[in-house]
Amino acid sequence: CIRRTLRAGLNMGLAGFAYWTADVFGLDGKTTPETHMRYAQWALLAPIARYFVRPTYEDDTRFPWSHGPQAEANFGKYTELRYRLLPYYYALAWEAYRTGLPIMRPLLLEFQSDARLADVWDQVMLGSRLMLAPVIEQGATLRRIVLPGATGEVWHDFWTGDTFEGGREIEYAAPLDRLPLLVRGGTLLPMLAHAPQHIAD
């Protein structure tokens, strides 16, 4: 379940674990096209992306192509995004080493003066600059998002470039192939132009 896994991971971050992981698609139970796509969207961006499969005679629903071209394209899209973000992940790894801050963290850790965020566990910060709001409701194509920050702070939609003022809530359009992903205003996000085909030591 995305809810339980996400909450457990954020608690581990608060306990001092910079690196934690969730099995992409979850550990137990067969996936549906929807769970396959929604789970991959956030788990592939976790501090460690761990792709868990089973023998096909036991479960043939966990491959990128298990549910057809749309699910396969979704898996490829978020795998590529993770690899393009490698410079950002390297910076976060260095920050974790130097300060102990987790790579993926709850909003309340990053915005400690915003009391609205104390109970928000289904949105997460990837470092201090990117916010993920995974879709966790079955069948949902809209996602309510609480935007941190005081008046004057802004957030930009990673996919469209749309801008939203901080300190309020929005309804975010989240079709099945889109992870709600927002970039904090003023960010210079280091990204590779293309996903590398291998990573050098």
Side-chain angles (χ1 to χ4, degrees):
C1 174
I2 296 176
R3 288 183 178 86
R4 292 193 297 268
T5 307
L6 196 56
R7 183 175 287 184
L10 293 177
N11 283 334
M12 288 185 69
L14 288 174
F17 290 86
Y19 294 94
W20 54 270
T21 187
D23 293 314
V24 178
F25 313 132
L27 182 63
D28 192 29
K30 294 187 175 184
T31 67
T32 65
E34 182 180 15
T35 58
H36 189 287
M37 293 177 69
R38 292 301 193 192
Y39 220 108
Q41 287 168 9
W42 82 271
L44 285 167
L45 298 179
I48 301 171
R50 180 174 184 266
Y51 178 36
F52 181 81
V53 297
R54 292 174 170 170
T56 53
Y57 63 80
E58 184 177 326
D59 184 353
D60 63 354
T61 70
R62 291 170 181 264
F63 295 102
W65 52 84
S66 290
H67 297 288
Q70 186 183 22
E72 184 175 359
N74 180 79
F75 188 89
K77 173 181 177 180
Y78 291 96
T79 301
E80 180 174 328
L81 176 60
R82 181 187 181 89
Y83 278 90
R84 290 187 62 207
L85 285 169
L86 279 179
Y88 185 57
Y89 277 98
Y90 285 146
L92 295 181
W94 179 246
E95 180 183 42
Y97 170 73
R98 293 295 302 272
T99 68
L101 280 171
I103 291 171
M104 190 172 274
R105 55 192 76 156
L107 300 187
L108 63 87
L109 182 59
E110 191 64 36
F111 302 94
Q112 297 182 22
S113 62
D114 194 337
R116 301 173 307 134
L117 307 177
D119 295 324
V120 178
W121 55 267
D122 58 353
Q123 297 173 215
V124 299
M125 295 297 298
L126 183 59
S128 63
R129 313 312 300 178
L130 290 177
M131 180 170 58
L132 289 64
V135 176
I136 58 177
E137 298 294 335
Q138 185 175 358
T141 56
L142 283 176
R143 175 66 160 83
R144 184 185 64 86
I145 297 177
V146 180
L147 296 176
T151 302
E153 177 142 24
V154 297
W155 294 85
H156 306 290
D157 187 332
F158 179 85
W159 308 111
T160 68
D162 292 343
T163 298
F164 309 98
E165 291 185 13
R168 64 190 184 101
E169 297 183 14
I170 62 170
E171 289 288 324
Y172 184 99
L176 187 55
D177 63 347
R178 182 182 297 173
L179 167 73
L181 181 60
L182 298 171
V183 184
R184 197 171 180 178
T187 295
L188 293 174
L189 186 64
M191 291 184 69
L192 300 174
H194 305 284
Q197 298 304 301
H198 68 278
I199 302 171
D201 291 336

